[in-house]
Amino acid sequence: MEGNGDFWQTCLEWGRVIGWRVLVAAIVFVICRAVSLGARRLIRTACVRVEKLDLTLAPVLCSVTSVLIYTVGLVVVLDYFGMNASSLVAIIGAAGLTIGLALKDTLSNIAAGIMLLILNPFRVGDFVECAGRSGTVQSVNLFNVVLQTADGLFVSLPNSSVWAADIINYTRNGKRRVSVTVGISYSDDVDRGLEVLRQVAAKESRFLGEPAPEAAVSNLGESAVELTLRGWTTVENYWDVLFALNRQAKLSIEAAGLSIPFPQRDVHLVPSAAAK
């Protein structure tokens, strides 16, 4: 009977120890969860308030912060249970190195995605040209950049290819320069042609006042004197203004009595010796 009593007493002691440690682990988990939720709210608030931060960066920062908090909590729990945390860290490091070598291409996309999110060369909604593709940015995440082309196509680009290529952002500066070139005959009055283009620019209300629109002789072509009208407009109005100016420039040049020549070739047939 005494042996049975000692056995149950030992089981009770072990139960108390294990129960207390499980309770401590649960408390640590609850604390980590509360800290993680609070950190997520702070990060989202900071990304909304700080204008220079892109909103697409918030989910990534939240995920990384949560992983770090739970990792610290796991190390604390394992240390409380009497496990060697340094050995666990070494095992995790070796496993991470092995996984990193196996997934180097994926990790390069992740690294490039983090750099894109931090340096922020473009945001969701920007019209960009990169890696040989152009379109409106739909999403930016840790693995790829999703574009929608002007004709509605879905394009997914790996972050590594985007990061390694030149990036042209047509939206970032908020304005773009519109250029329209029209040719007139060498026999026409150049000053008259420039005046016509200036009148076209004056009637276009979507042009910005600064920089002011300008008209100039841009090239002396083979069959025409090329006149160019340049002006600045907002990104939203760029295509509408470009199409309208192309139409109005042609109509105005013709209405002013100026001609728009087209390339011509004079062909001279020389008879051969046999024909002579």
Side-chain angles (χ1 to χ4, degrees):
M1 297 294 294
E2 292 181 359
N4 291 335
D6 292 340
F7 173 76
W8 289 111
Q9 185 66 27
T10 302
C11 290
L12 182 61
E13 291 295 331
W14 273 100
R16 289 176 181 174
V17 173
I18 294 175
W20 175 251
R21 291 182 175 179
V22 170
L23 178 61
V24 170
I27 293 174
V28 172
F29 173 78
V30 172
I31 293 175
C32 289
R33 179 174 176 79
V35 174
S36 175
L37 293 176
R40 283 173 173 267
R41 285 194 292 268
L42 289 176
I43 291 173
R44 293 192 187 98
T45 303
C47 288
V48 171
R49 291 183 177 179
V50 180
E51 296 180 355
K52 294 183 178 180
L53 289 180
D54 191 355
L55 294 179
T56 54
L57 186 60
V60 178
L61 293 178
C62 290
S63 299
V64 172
T65 303
S66 294
V67 170
L68 291 177
I69 292 174
Y70 281 111
T71 301
V72 172
L74 178 62
V75 172
V76 171
V77 170
L78 293 178
D79 184 67
Y80 183 76
F81 272 76
M83 298 182 181
N84 192 346
S86 60
S87 300
L88 178 63
V89 172
I91 293 173
I92 294 175
L97 178 60
T98 303
I99 295 173
L101 292 175
L103 301 176
K104 59 180 182 179
D105 293 336
T106 301
L107 293 178
S108 66
N109 284 329
I110 294 176
I114 293 175
M115 295 304 297
L116 289 174
L117 291 171
I118 293 176
L119 298 180
N120 194 23
F122 49 74
R123 298 184 178 186
V124 173
D126 288 355
F127 188 86
V128 300
E129 180 181 342
C130 56
R133 297 285 187 172
S134 61
T136 303
V137 179
Q138 299 296 303
S139 65
V140 184
N141 52 56
L142 287 179
F143 297 97
N144 63 341
V145 175
V146 176
L147 302 179
Q148 178 175 318
T149 63
D151 53 349
L153 299 181
F154 172 91
V155 178
S156 178
L157 300 174
N159 286 336
S160 57
S161 63
V162 175
W163 178 249
D166 295 335
I167 299 174
I168 302 175
N169 191 328
Y170 294 96
T171 307
R172 175 62 59 88
N173 292 336
K175 61 182 180 180
R176 290 184 64 181
R177 190 183 70 183
V178 181
S179 297
V180 173
T181 300
V182 60
I184 63 173
S185 174
Y186 273 92
S187 60
D188 289 336
D189 187 352
V190 172
D191 293 332
R192 176 60 178 157
L194 294 175
E195 181 61 28
V196 170
L197 293 184
R198 294 190 186 99
Q199 292 174 3
V200 171
K203 294 178 182 178
E204 179 52 69
S205 60
R206 290 167 293 188
F207 269 149
L208 300 178
E210 184 64 34
E214 60 178 355
V217 178
S218 57
N219 186 39
L220 300 177
E222 293 183 1
S223 58
V225 178
E226 297 180 1
L227 308 180
T228 298
L229 173 62
R230 292 176 177 174
W232 292 81
T233 186
T234 60
V235 173
E236 295 78 10
N237 291 329
Y238 174 80
W239 290 109
D240 292 336
V241 173
L242 177 62
F243 296 152
L245 286 181
N246 277 322
R247 176 180 182 275
Q248 193 59 41
K250 178 183 184 302
L251 295 178
S252 298
I253 287 292
E254 291 177 342
L258 303 175
S259 59
I260 301 178
F262 51 87
Q264 300 182 31
R265 289 283 188 271
D266 291 333
V267 180
H268 299 275
L269 298 179
V270 179
S272 63
K276 289 181 180 180

